[in-house]
Amino acid sequence: MRKIAILGSTGSIGTQTLEVVEHNKDLQVSALAAGSNVRLMEQQIRRFRPALACMKEETKAKELRELTADIDVRIVSGMEGLVEVATEPQSEVLVTAIVGMIGIRPTIAAMEAGKDIALANKETLVTAGHIIMPLAKEKGVRILPVDSEHSAIFQCLNGEEPRTVHKILLTASGGPFRGRSLKELAAVQVEDALKHPNWSMGRKITIDSSTMVNKGLEVMEAKWLFGVQMDQIQVVIQPQSVIHSMVEFEDGAVIAQLGTPDMKLPIQYALYYPQRRYLPGERLDFTKLKSISFETPDTEVFRGLALAYEAGRQGGSLPTVYNAANEYAVALFLQRKIPYLTIQEMIASAMKHHQVIARPNVEEILAAEQETYEFLESRW
Ligand code: NAD
Ligand code: MG
């Protein structure tokens, strides 16, 4: 029996992880954490019987305690609770399916407790990759990518010498606004940006996919996961989302991973690596697939991608500022308080204002996040 804990169990990745658990009788859930959806958490507790569950707010935790009074489960809350879930003694793997930089502390705590990390929460690696990767080595734990592109790259690298990697070709669907001009983007509304052509995901990452900030975060995530330079990573638009990413090796060979867009594949691969298991679902049908096409991203329109390269190249605390400014701006956009293009303007302006710290520790990362919020609040 392989025991897992999940941060963000009520979200898109969290619920799909639980679907994977349903299909595999040798996976067991030992702890769950979620934000505010008490009803869904109650159902998950009844179905999966974890020993521990955490809600973001204590008031929600109290509600959940009442709803589950007939079950043997301990219910906690807040950051302390997240860390308890992350370090639950029975579990071997922590699935980080929470959204945002709040994932940093519990992820580090889990690694210190010797857990492998099935990492979906890319914000953690983007902002604290220089802490996470050496810590994984020191503690002998594995960071198993759940993000579909990174899982694809991980699969392409299976059995290969890391030093023979010449280049990573990170694919992108281009999102709902591929091919649009800046002028057209100025009028984008929340509903338009929430319509992703191929993937069904949480709200924040769906907006990030439309701005290509998601791809920018993924380039930085890949840099840390695979130990390459920013300039060894090339973003390639592949609108059908059939190729999930590729690796070019020294000898010119390119290896790609293909499949239907289904996050359950990378989730299951991370949970069983290096084993492959049967996964029910649609398969690629090459008799029906007319074409796989490619484009170059337009970084003048999707400025968030160019800014990510700048942040990733400079490193230090700049990726934190990039990410924090984006988190702040996306939240305001979703509340209809700022226009769409202000998202990239806010990122650019926060990055310009920031004094980079070369190797920030966790406190300095969280302070840079806070400063970014304060700066943007004072400007907009
Ligand atoms: P989501 O918004 O659907 O789910 C987020 C989960 O985190 C929810 O369960 C929410 O309740 C929980 N949460 C948020 N704040 C919390 C807090 N303070 N305490 C406890 N729980 C909290 O998001 P998602 O789309 O599942 O994305 C999760 C992460 O995975 C993100 O980092 C995203 O970039 C990454 N990711 C997602 C996908 C995808 O297909 N959805 C693909 C690749 C990577
Ligand atoms: Mg992805």
Side-chain angles (χ1 to χ4, degrees):
M1 204 48 94
R2 195 162 163 74
K3 296 199 172 161
I4 69 167
I6 308 173
L7 299 183
S9 64
T10 57
S12 161
I13 295 289
T15 51
Q16 293 182 86
T17 304
L18 290 172
E19 281 180 52
V20 169
V21 173
E22 292 248 307
H23 291 302
N24 289 287
K25 299 295 163 234
D26 56 350
L27 283 178
Q28 203 179 325
V29 176
S30 61
L32 296 174
S36 56
N37 194 339
V38 175
R39 289 283 165 193
L40 183 53
M41 185 57 119
E42 182 203 350
Q43 285 173 22
Q44 293 181 343
I45 291 173
R46 291 192 184 280
R47 173 71 192 84
F48 296 97
R49 298 298 170 122
L52 181 67
C54 170
M55 299 303 296
K56 183 176 167 186
E57 309 286 348
E58 180 50 32
T59 49
K60 297 280 177 180
K62 196 161 168 270
E63 241 179 86
L64 186 62
R65 268 180 220 121
E66 281 158 20
L67 289 169
T68 57
D70 59 319
I71 301 178
D72 187 17
V73 55
R74 198 158 63 84
I75 293 163
V76 291
S77 64
M79 177 51 79
E80 233 172 84
L82 274 184
V83 170
E84 271 201 68
V85 167
T87 57
E88 200 282 328
Q90 298 282 313
S91 71
E92 292 167 50
V93 189
L94 174 69
V95 181
T96 62
I98 198 166
V99 59
M101 284 173 68
I102 185 143
I104 300 177
R105 284 193 194 278
T107 304
I108 291 178
M111 293 166 74
E112 277 171 347
K115 319 284 184 199
D116 285 336
I117 307 294
L119 186 132
N121 178 242
K122 60 191 84 184
E123 296 91 341
T124 291
L125 217 46
V126 167
T127 57
H130 60 288
I131 297 170
I132 302 284
M133 296 314 287
L135 185 63
K137 206 167 172 191
E138 184 194 321
K139 299 288 172 190
V141 300
R142 300 182 297 183
I143 309 285
L144 303 153
V146 167
D147 210 337
S148 60
E149 294 78 2
H150 304 75
S151 174
I153 296 160
F154 191 55
Q155 292 175 59
C156 296
L157 289 174
N158 225 342
E160 304 286 349
E161 280 276 344
R163 58 169 183 81
T164 63
V165 172
H166 180 62
K167 184 161 140 184
I168 286 175
L169 298 146
L170 193 83
T171 54
S173 70
F177 308 134
R178 180 172 57 88
R180 303 266 181 105
S181 66
L182 272 176
K183 208 171 149 209
E184 288 168 313
L185 287 192
V188 161
Q189 296 299 310
V190 173
E191 295 69 32
D192 312 320
L194 283 175
K195 277 184 213 135
H196 195 277
N198 307 335
W199 296 94
S200 150
M201 309 176 284
R203 282 158 67 87
K204 190 238 171 198
I205 185 176
T206 304
I207 302 296
D208 290 354
S209 299
S210 79
T211 56
M212 290 203 77
V213 164
N214 181 51
K215 214 42 62 178
L217 294 171
E218 289 185 355
V219 174
M220 292 189 264
E221 187 187 6
K223 171 184 116 163
W224 288 116
L225 275 172
F226 307 112
V228 295
Q229 301 298 314
M230 289 297 288
D231 295 309
Q232 278 177 286
I233 309 167
Q234 183 187 344
V235 174
V236 179
I237 307 252
Q238 199 284 281
Q240 299 84 7
S241 295
V242 166
I243 301 182
H244 299 310
S245 276
M246 311 180 257
V247 178
E248 184 191 308
F249 293 89
E250 252 178 1
D251 58 359
V254 177
I255 300 188
Q257 188 256 331
L258 286 73
T260 51
D262 181 355
M263 287 307 295
K264 289 196 285 302
L265 193 158
I267 293 168
Q268 182 172 282
Y269 191 76
L271 293 177
Y272 283 107
Y273 174 79
Q275 262 183 54
R276 283 194 190 274
R277 287 276 178 113
Y278 174 72
L279 181 69
E282 245 187 90
R283 304 291 151 132
L284 269 190
D285 181 348
F286 285 88
T287 62
K288 293 202 181 107
L289 191 68
K290 294 268 183 316
S291 67
I292 303 179
S293 55
F294 302 97
E295 289 170 24
T296 307
D298 185 342
T299 50
E300 306 229 326
V301 174
F302 296 96
R303 216 175 136 206
L305 184 56
L307 289 166
Y309 271 89
E310 195 183 318
R313 278 188 199 113
Q314 276 213 47
S317 53
L318 202 55
T320 295
V321 173
Y322 175 92
N323 182 67
N326 179 61
E327 283 187 19
Y328 184 87
V330 169
L332 287 186
F333 173 70
L334 283 169
Q335 294 165 39
R336 299 169 202 277
K337 289 189 178 152
I338 58 165
Y340 187 67
L341 283 178
T342 304
I343 299 173
Q344 56 191 43
E345 260 177 65
M346 280 188 163
I347 301 174
S349 140
M351 279 173 63
K352 200 165 161 207
H353 172 79
H354 181 66
Q355 291 271 334
V356 179
I357 307 167
R359 289 190 63 78
N361 58 29
V362 174
E363 284 68 35
E364 288 168 323
I365 291 170
L366 298 175
E369 176 192 31
Q370 207 47 47
E371 272 168 36
T372 305
Y373 294 162
E374 282 161 20
F375 167 73
L376 290 174
E377 206 178 346
S378 72
R379 285 293 166 98
W380 266 275

Coordinates of all heavy atoms in Angstrom, one line a residue, residues 9-11 15 18 32 34 36-46 64:
S9 N -7.0 19.2 -2.2 CA -7.7 18.1 -2.6 C -9.0 18.4 -3.3 O -9.5 17.6 -4.1 CB -8.0 17.1 -1.5 OG -8.8 17.7 -0.5
T10 N -9.5 19.6 -3.1 CA -10.8 19.9 -3.7 C -10.7 20.6 -5.1 O -11.7 20.9 -5.8 CB -11.7 20.8 -2.8 OG1 -10.9 22.0 -2.5 CG2 -12.0 20.1 -1.5
G11 N -9.4 20.9 -5.5 CA -9.2 21.6 -6.8 C -9.1 20.7 -7.9 O -9.4 19.4 -7.8
T15 N -8.8 16.8 -7.2 CA -9.9 15.8 -7.5 C -9.4 14.8 -8.5 O -9.8 13.6 -8.4 CB -11.1 16.5 -8.0 OG1 -10.8 17.4 -9.1 CG2 -11.8 17.4 -6.9
L18 N -7.5 12.1 -6.8 CA -8.4 11.2 -6.1 C -9.0 10.2 -7.1 O -9.3 9.1 -6.7 CB -9.4 11.9 -5.3 CG -8.8 12.7 -4.0 CD1 -9.8 13.6 -3.3 CD2 -8.3 11.6 -3.0
L32 N -5.6 15.1 3.8 CA -6.1 16.0 2.8 C -6.1 17.4 3.3 O -6.4 17.6 4.5 CB -7.5 15.6 2.4 CG -7.7 14.2 1.8 CD1 -9.2 14.0 1.6 CD2 -7.0 14.1 0.4
A34 N -7.6 21.5 2.1 CA -8.3 22.3 1.1 C -8.6 23.6 1.6 O -8.4 23.9 2.8 CB -9.6 21.6 0.7
S36 N -11.8 26.1 1.1 CA -13.1 26.4 1.8 C -14.2 25.5 1.5 O -15.3 25.6 2.1 CB -13.4 27.8 1.4 OG -13.5 27.9 0.0
N37 N -14.1 24.5 0.6 CA -15.2 23.7 0.2 C -15.4 22.6 1.2 O -15.0 21.4 1.0 CB -15.0 23.2 -1.2 CG -16.2 22.5 -1.9 OD1 -17.1 22.2 -1.2 ND2 -16.2 22.4 -3.2
V38 N -16.2 22.9 2.2 CA -16.4 21.9 3.3 C -17.2 20.7 2.9 O -16.9 19.6 3.2 CB -17.1 22.7 4.5 CG1 -17.5 21.7 5.6 CG2 -16.3 23.8 5.1
R39 N -18.2 21.0 2.0 CA -19.1 19.8 1.6 C -18.3 18.8 0.8 O -18.4 17.6 1.0 CB -20.2 20.4 0.7 CG -21.2 21.2 1.4 CD -22.2 20.2 2.2 NE -22.9 20.9 3.2 CZ -23.6 20.4 4.2 NH1 -23.6 19.1 4.3 NH2 -24.3 21.1 5.0
L40 N -17.5 19.3 -0.1 CA -16.7 18.4 -0.9 C -15.6 17.7 0.0 O -15.4 16.4 -0.2 CB -16.0 19.1 -2.1 CG -15.2 18.2 -3.0 CD1 -16.0 17.0 -3.6 CD2 -14.6 19.0 -4.2
M41 N -15.1 18.4 0.9 CA -14.1 17.8 1.8 C -14.8 16.7 2.6 O -14.2 15.6 2.8 CB -13.5 18.8 2.7 CG -12.4 18.3 3.6 SD -11.0 17.5 2.7 CE -9.7 18.6 3.2
E42 N -16.0 16.9 3.1 CA -16.7 15.9 3.8 C -16.9 14.6 3.0 O -16.6 13.5 3.5 CB -18.1 16.4 4.3 CG -18.8 15.4 5.1 CD -20.4 15.6 5.1 OE1 -20.8 16.6 4.6 OE2 -21.0 14.7 5.6
Q43 N -17.3 14.8 1.7 CA -17.5 13.7 0.8 C -16.1 12.9 0.7 O -16.1 11.7 0.7 CB -17.9 14.1 -0.5 CG -19.4 14.5 -0.6 CD -19.7 15.1 -2.0 OE1 -19.0 14.9 -3.0 NE2 -20.7 15.9 -2.1
Q44 N -15.1 13.7 0.5 CA -13.8 13.0 0.3 C -13.3 12.3 1.5 O -12.8 11.2 1.4 CB -12.7 14.1 -0.1 CG -13.0 14.7 -1.4 CD -11.9 15.8 -1.8 OE1 -11.2 16.3 -1.0 NE2 -11.9 16.1 -3.1
I45 N -13.6 12.8 2.7 CA -13.3 12.1 4.0 C -14.1 10.8 4.1 O -13.5 9.8 4.4 CB -13.5 13.0 5.2 CG1 -12.5 14.2 5.2 CG2 -13.5 12.2 6.5 CD1 -12.8 15.2 6.2
R46 N -15.4 10.9 3.7 CA -16.2 9.7 3.8 C -15.7 8.6 2.8 O -15.7 7.4 3.1 CB -17.7 10.0 3.6 CG -18.3 10.8 4.7 CD -19.8 10.9 4.6 NE -20.2 11.8 5.7 CZ -20.3 11.5 7.0 NH1 -20.1 10.2 7.3 NH2 -20.7 12.3 7.9
L64 N -16.6 21.4 9.5 CA -16.2 20.1 9.0 C -16.2 19.1 10.2 O -16.6 17.9 10.0 CB -14.9 20.1 8.3 CG -14.4 18.8 7.6 CD1 -15.4 18.4 6.5 CD2 -13.0 19.0 7.1

